[in-house]
Amino acid sequence: MVDSAVLQLLLQRLRPLGELRSNRMFGGFGIYANRRFFAIVDGETAYFKTDKENAPAFEKHGSEAFQPIPDKGPMGYHELPPEALHDEDLLLELARSALATAERAASRRRPRKAQTDPTVGRLRGLGPKSAALLRSVGIPRRSQLEAHGAIGAFLAVEAEHGRQSLNLLYALEAALLDEHWAKLPAELKARLREAAGR
């Protein structure tokens, strides 16, 4: 179960970052600031997005890279140091670095003038067929996909069009994470299947 107290604490203390929202995903929650995904809360643990530029700031506090599957590489997130939950300055410093990392990743993948709320057809890994299915159930844009979550969107498509491939479910989750579905760890895929009743 997600520790909602940790999630609520983060949402309260990270308000200086701008418009915040959370979205349920793979048994935990993703946190967005100004529509940019930069953190995960899973159980009592929070993970912030990292790359080679900001990872040392986390490692300085003893944080390790998030690696849910031992024989796979890390996912590009580091555990939030426990002391950051009680040190607002440290929390905001690490959160801003995670948000900057998310911005750098997005700038490498999309043109600078990309829409702030793109259509689902422009999301990474969602092809024309997947986008058409989403549009047919009233999910034409990323904001609507975020609101439904991958599970909700997948179940809505199945309710309208019948049983779908699990690859669609994985692709929806990966699109929200701005990753390719094939990079989702097996553990996360298993959580998605369980949540979808498969």
Side-chain angles (χ1 to χ4, degrees), residues 33-48:
N34 306 317
R35 297 188 179 276
R36 188 69 70 205
F37 179 73
F38 75 101
I40 299 168
V41 176
D42 186 19
E44 298 181 9
T45 308
Y47 302 92
F48 280 12

Side-chain angles (χ1 to χ4, degrees), residues 107-155:
S107 70
R108 288 193 295 268
R109 293 179 182 133
R110 297 191 185 98
R112 294 297 292 180
K113 62 176 187 176
Q115 293 176 295
T116 57
D117 188 16
T119 61
V120 289
R122 294 180 62 86
L123 298 181
R124 190 175 191 205
L126 291 184
K129 182 178 177 183
S130 298
L133 287 170
L134 289 171
R135 287 193 300 270
S136 75
V137 294
I139 306 175
R141 294 193 170 274
R142 181 186 174 94
S143 59
Q144 279 106 2
L145 180 56
E146 287 175 2
H148 281 78
I151 300 298
F154 181 74
L155 294 177

Side-chain angles (χ1 to χ4, degrees), residues 7-76:
L7 176 65
Q8 292 304 318
L9 180 65
L10 287 173
L11 291 176
Q12 182 180 44
R13 294 195 174 168
L14 294 176
R15 282 183 292 188
L17 296 180
E19 179 190 349
L20 293 174
R21 67 176 294 159
S22 63
N23 187 57
R24 187 176 291 277
M25 52 180 58
F26 48 78
F29 285 87
I31 300 179
Y32 299 76
N34 306 317
R35 297 188 179 276
R36 188 69 70 205
F37 179 73
F38 75 101
I40 299 168
V41 176
D42 186 19
E44 298 181 9
T45 308
Y47 302 92
F48 280 12
K49 191 164 183 64
T50 54
D51 61 11
K52 64 182 180 181
E53 291 190 38
N54 72 329
F58 286 80
E59 292 163 356
K60 179 175 72 173
H61 294 280
S63 294
E64 296 188 2
F66 181 39
Q67 189 169 348
I69 308 299
D71 60 341
K72 301 284 186 181
M75 281 187 64

